[in-house]
Amino acid sequence: MNYEFLTYQDREMLAIDLANQLAGELRQALSQNDRVAFAVPGGTSPGPVFDDLNNVDLDWSRVDVMLTDERWVPEDHARSNTGLLRERLLTNRAAAAGYLPLYAPAEEPEGVLAALEEPIARELPLAVVLLGMGADMHTASLFPGADRLQEALSSKAPILLPMRAPGAPEPRITLSAPVLNGALSKHVLIFGEEKRAALEAARGKPALEAPINAVLSEAKVHWAP
């Protein structure tokens, strides 16, 4: 798998450097497009990157931010990634950015997928994507053992898929592997020895076992202890 592995002395240095790289790539994309799409993960790991990025001087009004995946809960729910995103990234100068949600008020995601996909489709390919990875080698909501993983990995996958995985208390909604992998710039953020070992363990495995392998080609992986 052809990817670049970047090691940092500590997480603070990683956050500063990664934020600078993301800002540079967004500027480059904006120089060539009227609007650009920027997809980011939820969770706490990217928070410090967002803190450094949200005050960068670029034309945020032409950037549309979206999550790589989301839990199927309202935005004001404690488990919503959207709330964290609004607190850490969509603030300061980045408050001018657009936001493309992966949730709409409905009991189940299946009935509203088309409406959520429509604004995303207009901006593909993604200009820049930042991904995380779990110790189980999942990325976005592409979990090993998830009910529609094979469909999400297919070259013919739709933009969005609902995903139900063992141990996940609610359905997820996720960008499919071809959408994530089609981004013009791809970055993966991981911390700690456990995740570094998981990335090594993923080497050579099929994407059904190690979904991270569906998006690693030509990516930059950023790691700090």
Side-chain angles (χ1 to χ4, degrees):
M1 185 66 64
N2 181 26
Y3 61 87
E4 185 177 355
F5 189 86
L6 302 168
T7 300
Y8 298 82
Q9 182 177 342
D10 57 46
R11 298 182 184 193
E12 183 179 357
M13 290 300 297
L14 185 156
I16 293 167
D17 191 63
L18 178 52
N20 283 336
Q21 289 187 48
L22 295 170
E25 289 169 355
L26 287 169
R27 276 196 200 94
Q28 176 66 22
L30 285 167
S31 74
Q32 299 171 345
N33 300 276
D34 290 335
R35 298 195 68 79
V36 301
F38 176 34
V40 298
T44 55
S45 292
V49 180
F50 297 160
D51 293 342
D52 288 320
L53 188 59
N54 66 37
N55 217 18
V56 164
D57 185 14
L58 59 83
D59 191 353
W60 285 104
S61 66
R62 294 163 53 212
V63 177
D64 283 318
V65 175
M66 73 186 81
L67 286 159
T68 58
D69 63 312
E70 178 60 292
R71 297 162 175 143
W72 198 253
V73 294
E75 286 190 10
D76 58 0
H77 192 284
R79 286 180 55 77
S80 171
N81 285 319
T82 301
L84 187 67
L85 199 64
R86 292 196 186 282
E87 287 176 19
R88 303 292 289 272
L89 179 57
L90 298 174
T91 185
N92 294 324
R93 286 176 172 163
Y99 181 62
L100 302 179
L102 297 189
Y103 173 82
E107 283 296 313
E108 301 290 340
E110 282 79 1
V112 293
L113 281 179
L116 292 172
E117 281 183 340
E118 187 178 348
I120 299 172
R122 290 197 293 266
E123 293 193 41
L124 293 180
L126 300 172
V128 182
V129 65
L130 176 61
L131 291 157
M133 185 197 72
D136 62 354
M137 298 175 276
H138 86 269
T139 191
S141 282
L142 306 176
F143 289 94
D147 61 342
R148 298 180 72 174
L149 178 61
Q150 188 156 5
E151 186 181 352
L153 295 172
S154 165
S155 61
K156 298 178 181 177
I159 295 170
L160 294 175
L161 275 163
M163 199 69 68
R164 294 167 176 84
E170 63 275 301
R172 306 286 186 108
I173 190 96
T174 188
L175 292 171
S176 63
V179 171
L180 295 168
N181 197 46
L184 302 180
S185 299
K186 293 180 290 182
H187 299 267
V188 181
L189 168 63
I190 56 173
F191 290 143
E193 295 297 340
E194 183 185 28
K195 290 192 178 180
R196 182 169 185 166
L199 187 69
E200 284 297 317
R203 194 178 297 274
K205 293 185 185 295
L208 271 173
E209 294 178 30
I212 187 65
N213 283 343
V215 298
L216 273 181
S217 180
E218 307 299 325
K220 289 184 177 181
V221 179
H222 305 260
W223 178 82

